[in-house]
Amino acid sequence: MTFENTILTLVMFVPLLGALLVALYGRSADGNTDGIKKLAIGISVVTFILSLPLAVLFDGRTAGYQFVARALWIDAAGLRVDYHVGIDGLSIWLVMLTTLITPIALLASYTAIGKRVREYLVLMLILETGMIGVFCALDMFLFYLFWEVMLIPMYLIIGVWGGERRIYAAIKFVLYTMIGSLLMLAAIISLYLMHGKATGFYTFDIPLVTQSISSGMLMIPIDAQRWLFGAFALAFLIKVPLFPFHTWLPDAHVEAPTAGSVILASVLLKMGTYGLMRFNVPMFYEASIQLAPIICVFAVFGIVYGALVAMVQPDFKKLVAYSSVSHLGFCVLGIFSLTSQGMQGSLFQMLAHGLSTGALFLIIGMIYERRHTRQISEFGGLATPMPQFSTLFMITMFASVGLPLLCGFVGEILVLIGTFTSTTLEGAKWFAAVAATAMVWSAVYMLWLYQRVVMGDVTNPENAKLPDLNLREKVVLVPLVVLMIVMGVYPVYFTKRSQPALDAAIQKTAPVLTRKAEAPARKP
Amino acid sequence: MNTTTLLGGIILAPLVGALVLGLFGKKMNERTVGLIASATVGVSFVLAIMAFVALLGVAPEGAEGVRRLHNPLFPWIEVGSFKAPFNLVLDPLSGLYVLFVTGVGFLIHIFATGYMHGEGGYYRFFCYLNLFMFNMLVLILGSNMLVMFVGWEGVGLCSYLLIGFYFKQQGPAFPNQSAKKAFIVNRIGDVAFAIAILLVFLKAGSIEFAAVNAWAKSLTAADPMTLAAFGLGGASTIALLMFIGATGKSAQIPLFVWLPDAMAGPTPVSALIHAATMVTAGVYMVSRTSEVFVKAPSAMLVVAIIGALTALGAATIGLAQWDIKKVLAYSTVSQLGYMFLACGVGAFGAGVFHVMTHAFFKALLFLGAGSVILGMHHEQDMRKMGGLKKHMPITHATMAVAWLAICGFPLLSGFFSKDEILYQAFVTEAFGHGPWGKILWTIGAITAVLTAIYMTRLMVLTFWTKERWHDSPGHDDHGHDAHAGDGHGHHGLAKGQMPHESPWSMTLPLVVLAIAAALGGYVGVPNGLGHLVGIENSNIVEHFLAPSLAHAGAHGAEAVHHDASTELLLTGLSVALAIGGILAGMFVFRRNPLLKMPRILEDKWRVDELYEAAIIHPLRRLSESVLWKAIDVRSIDGFVNAAADGIRGLGGSMRHLQSGLTRSYVAVILLGAACVVGYFLLQGYVK
């Protein structure tokens, strides 16, 4: 038990313990929920503080996993599962994003959630454990477990605290996700068996399986690779979501409460792209090269499609939801360029999208709480009653649009460079060129949105007296906006620490696991 | 101070100004705000002079012998082999740009302290204006294409913010609409610029300007003048893509439509951003990468033709506008066309020289127009002006200098620069031997006449004919956007009000700029003319810029002498054209100031309407009816809903809200887990 191998487990499970605390916390006689709200926020803040050493102490020079903890968990009837967690350059910032966004989302929903507050808080905290777990799990069984655990709270948050059509949205969310999950489960089991047959060692261990594949100990025939790739990819691409698997997203976003939307956009969508980078690319490299053109066609189509459909949405939330389809298309494109810049751009775009789109949903929540509508046409001229809101909205908008020196630009340009110079992707230049047009589309829908909501005279008298941001709302929004600027001005801090891990994922010959000592002894 | 950190100081000063004003400006009074804003730009100007002097003192580097000051700041985007550090570099080209941008910028800041007096959001205005200066200077000083792109997009942002400064007004040609249009149209060009950066990185392996130009120089032969030359990958493709980027920022065909609408912003903004500095960024970008362009004669020809046609087309529109700022806006588009004509024929130095002289006289014209608009209580319609000479003598006198300068009146700044461009077009060998040079010269010459006519019309209508302030407005408001003016519900003189001269904070910059507009051309007297009065190599500015720029075709300094007679002949001709145009304008408009022009010109060739009908409207229809309603809602969701209905039919409990939902979900997971466990038990049993 050292600090290094316990801290990650602590970060993962403090929210779960917190959920238990919130559930057991004494009921106040007058039904006042301030106590449990503050408790839940406190727990998520503690989690964030606990996660800070991860970022500070992270060694960015190595591709290997750090803060690793492992223990044998199940070893019965031929089934061997390890509790194996750790983070590398791919997951470190995603974990940080999760621990940052959760307290912000909780604080943002401080006044918005009226019913069943305790259940809501418990679910949010369980959700946090699930999300962190997905990014940290180094055992496929564990990964799958967290993947499912994370879905239930999200599904309930939409289904219970959502808007009018919440049931429809929740079922759609589950349907889509379940199809993917089951396929992924099948693929995981197949991989387990294949690895066992080839090496005599049955394991779900992600670094080990990846290493076996890259070192040639486990040779998967290309046919089988395509099937496995397809099964994993479908699960992940639904989550991304890639066109045409995206239609659950607008409904889920529109119906979910603000905090649900924020977490969905900021973190949950990144599970898909994370999975592609963790499983598909390093494990099925040949299949990745083969199938990349097909996926990239959908990614690029989705980039343009999502933006154009976003442009004509009358509902603020739907507009942002479709813009996510467009942004995440960039992430997928970058991954399948199979270049350093593409992978890095994709990861950076995930983080940037997490900040800017998360902030956009917070912004929507703020005006929804004031007006109880999300119809864009209901607004106009908000700059007059709400100048501070308008300024923060504008910076967020330009971050989303990809203005240089804000976070969105770095990811986009890196994806474009990676795609354009890709040697494995056929027609790479055309993919990049079409994707580049997103610069125009994003400006079209976002600036038009901003014009209709914020600029002009106040035409609807209901908007004339809206109060500007209060302290709580500023505390929620300002850190995100500051980070958007920091990430845009000094992205090297983030990219440098991720680079070795990302490069390892696309360098088929290099061993993925650099810390040999941590590999478990194989069974004879 | 260390000379290398001077460059960082140049960009830092206005950034600090913008931050201070943005964060604390709200509580400051106008005096403090104006002082901070102007002083920071003044500091930049002083530092720019110091850097310029330092530049003259450093030893030339490399084979081309370019003098450079380097100021590396910090690593910005670096992944694998792609490196875009945030570094600044000063060479003759950026040195000249920085000087006049900070100089003119400083004067316009001072002017604006007077012009914006009493406006709501005074601090916000100067915050944006300082932010603009920062971005413009980053654009100029950036050592690589991506840092230039930072400034490039940044000035676009500030342009957006400042056009939309009077954000409360609504309507088709009103500030917030124009601001959005400007940003989006610019972004269309930016896509091409971005792809050019990708292509340069792929081909040259670096996006540092020095490396890019060296790479282009190492290309053995220029491309053939064929359509095939534009195939993916060559210098022509890069050059053409960058030029498309330039057509956005510098308002050339087909992306010029945003600039006239941009006049909805406050007038100092029109002067600084939409005339003197930002819109010349395209010319700067082309000159900055001139080695790439000279290896692509086919792209050069495109640049020259687009430039010439834009110059001509915008001049014809300028002839028919009633709004004083609209005339100047189209005039700017037209003059930018000249600059691209110069670049296209390989005379990058002449293009940059015209950028400089234009900065002086066009800033002066806009500020003069601002002074007039303020004096007329926010009236921009020239039909309601007239006779202002008596009431605004300083404004009139300074504007008259600018008027003569832009017309190409002998011995004023515009004369030297425009004359040089026309001459270089006439003798160009950038596209080999052929008739192109003569054709381009002809278009340029016709434009010169039109320029003299429409500018004379502006002066006549504004200053010289009888007073029309209280006339009932012309009932022919069709197609002009006089109401898009500075943000005041009420404008124009009320009964009994008189126009007044502006305060010193406004007239002083006018006077300084008038001196620059009159004398600024003497740093670039064409060699032929200099020779005539016994001064050899009188074109100091081109000589100074030469190391930074590529040389197209065979002509250069040595070719000038045997062309001297042609040059003098052409000079004589352009003097005649300028004076002829002025006289024609006097003759026609003094007698009939409100002469109606052809409708199609007043309607700006209806290009906006064409774009609306051909692009914007169909795109919106496609997105709404096909992509969203047909594909998303009906096809994909239709399928999903059918599937969902099937499942809902199976598990009736799904309909029973939350508890049912949870139960069925958990059931599915347990079922899945049971399958897995069962499978393994089976597996163990089989073993």
Side-chain angles (χ1 to χ4, degrees), chain B residues 43 91 160 192 203 210 244 264 357 368 473 489 552 560 586 596:
Chain B
V43 167
D91 72 340
Y160 167 82
K203 293 288 166 184
I244 294 172
T357 60
V560 164
M586 293 277 198
K596 273 189 73 72

Side-chain angles (χ1 to χ4, degrees), chain A residues 77 79 148 151-152 155-156 160 168 172 174-176 178 185 192-193 244 246-247 305 308-309 311-314 322 341 344 383-384 394 398 401-405 409 414 417 420-421 429-430 433 436 439-441 444 447-448 450-451 455-457 459 488-492 499, chain B residues 74-82 86 146 149-150 153 157 160-161 164 167-168 170 176-177 180 183-184 187-188 190-191 194-195 198-199 201-202 232 619-620 623-624 627-628 631-632 636-637 640-641 644 647 654 657-658 661-662 665 668-669 672 676 679-681 683 687:
Chain A
L79 179 68
E148 293 293 329
L151 292 176
I152 302 168
Y155 157 75
L156 289 172
V160 178
Y168 171 74
K172 211 168 171 183
V174 166
L175 251 183
Y176 263 106
M178 229 154 44
L185 184 62
Y192 176 83
L193 295 175
H246 66 281
T247 63
Y305 175 91
L308 287 178
V309 176
M311 180 176 77
V312 292
Q313 295 304 313
Y322 278 106
Q341 293 91 1
Q344 186 64 256
T384 309
M394 181 185 282
F398 278 114
V401 165
L403 199 79
L405 298 189
F409 175 74
L414 283 174
I417 287 163
F420 200 84
T421 56
K429 293 192 189 68
W430 293 108
M439 288 176 60
V440 177
W441 310 127
V444 171
L447 264 61
W448 192 32
Y450 192 79
Q451 181 191 13
M455 289 168 124
D457 237 339
T459 45
V489 175
Y490 204 66
V492 169
Q499 203 54 50
Chain B
F74 59 91
W76 183 41
I77 299 182
E78 284 187 15
V79 175
S81 54
F82 181 81
F86 210 105
L146 213 60
F149 196 72
V150 170
E153 291 264 292
L157 164 74
Y160 167 82
L161 294 170
F167 62 84
K168 283 186 192 169
Q170 265 164 330
N176 62 52
Q177 182 70 21
K180 188 187 73 179
F183 194 86
I184 290 170
R187 273 236 153 173
I188 295 173
D190 295 353
V191 170
I195 297 174
L198 305 179
L199 199 50
F201 174 63
L202 186 70
L232 256 187
L619 198 66
R620 205 173 282 177
S623 306
E624 174 118 22
L627 297 183
W628 182 29
I631 297 186
D632 226 65
I636 302 177
D637 260 4
V640 174
N641 290 345
I647 289 181
M654 282 271 190
L657 301 181
Q658 297 111 5
L661 275 172
T662 324
Y665 192 87
V668 168
I669 289 181
V676 179
Y679 179 87
F680 284 108
L681 286 175
Q683 195 77 15
K687 246 192 255 172

Side-chain angles (χ1 to χ4, degrees), chain B residues 328-350:
Chain B
L328 293 177
Y330 281 104
S331 160
T332 304
V333 174
S334 176
Q335 296 297 312
L336 289 164
Y338 271 122
M339 297 166 202
F340 282 104
L341 172 61
C343 293
V345 300
F348 300 100

Side-chain angles (χ1 to χ4, degrees), chain B residues 73-392:
Chain B
L73 292 180
F74 59 91
W76 183 41
I77 299 182
E78 284 187 15
V79 175
S81 54
F82 181 81
K83 288 190 170 57
F86 210 105
N87 290 352
L88 306 179
V89 65
L90 193 80
D91 72 340
L93 179 61
S94 53
L96 188 72
Y97 253 86
V98 165
L99 270 189
F100 78 76
V101 165
T102 50
V104 173
F106 180 53
L107 291 174
I108 295 176
H109 272 72
I110 293 176
F111 180 91
T113 58
Y115 185 88
M116 298 303 288
H117 171 67
E119 296 276 4
Y122 193 84
Y123 79 99
R124 197 162 53 88
F125 177 86
F126 281 101
C127 167
Y128 296 162
L129 214 55
N130 269 3
L131 192 63
F132 166 78
M133 290 303 294
F134 164 74
N135 280 303
M136 187 69 207
L137 292 165
V138 167
L139 190 161
I140 295 167
L141 291 170
S143 76
N144 61 57
M145 295 178 79
L146 213 60
V147 174
M148 177 192 257
F149 196 72
V150 170
W152 185 271
E153 291 264 292
V155 293
L157 164 74
C158 298
S159 167
Y160 167 82
L161 294 170
L162 284 161
I163 297 170
F165 181 70
Y166 300 117
F167 62 84
K168 283 186 192 169
Q169 296 181 4
Q170 265 164 330
F174 277 82
N176 62 52
Q177 182 70 21
S178 307
K180 188 187 73 179
K181 181 175 173 183
F183 194 86
I184 290 170
V185 172
N186 265 291
R187 273 236 153 173
I188 295 173
D190 295 353
V191 170
F193 187 6
I195 297 174
I197 295 175
L198 305 179
L199 199 50
V200 164
F201 174 63
L202 186 70
K203 293 288 166 184
S206 169
I207 54 166
E208 294 292 321
F209 286 116
V212 173
N213 280 324
W215 163 77
K217 214 166 186 178
S218 74
L219 295 176
T220 42
D223 71 31
M225 288 270 293
T226 59
L227 267 181
F230 293 119
L232 256 187
S236 317
T237 320
I238 296 173
L240 200 65
L241 284 168
M242 288 205 285
F243 178 61
I244 294 172
T247 59
K249 195 109 299 178
S250 293
Q252 298 293 291
I253 293 170
L255 299 180
F256 67 96
V257 289
W258 66 273
L259 184 58
D261 285 14
M263 298 303 129
T267 303
V269 171
S270 311
L272 179 61
I273 300 183
H274 305 120
T277 59
M278 182 187 84
V279 289
T280 65
V283 185
Y284 179 74
M285 176 233 253
V286 171
S287 320
R288 187 81 278 181
T289 51
S290 52
E291 295 288 357
V292 179
F293 278 81
V294 297
K295 283 288 156 55
S298 36
M300 293 280 273
L301 183 59
V302 172
V303 174
I305 291 174
I306 293 283
L309 290 181
T310 308
L312 180 64
T316 59
I317 300 174
L319 214 48
Q321 300 303 307
W322 295 114
D323 182 331
I324 187 168
K325 284 181 75 179
K326 281 280 159 78
V327 176
L328 293 177
Y330 281 104
S331 160
T332 304
V333 174
S334 176
Q335 296 297 312
L336 289 164
Y338 271 122
M339 297 166 202
F340 282 104
L341 172 61
C343 293
V345 300
F348 300 100
V352 173
F353 183 38
H354 197 57
V355 168
M356 187 186 87
T357 60
H358 177 258
F360 297 145
F361 62 68
K362 188 54 67 66
L364 175 51
L365 283 168
F366 264 112
L367 295 188
S371 177
V372 166
I373 291 167
L374 207 62
M376 292 292 296
H377 294 258
H378 296 279
E379 179 58 77
Q380 296 182 204
D381 191 335
M382 296 191 297
R383 282 173 292 198
K384 297 181 199 156
M385 295 179 183
L388 292 181
K389 179 184 175 183
K390 193 171 71 191
H391 302 277
M392 309 182 74

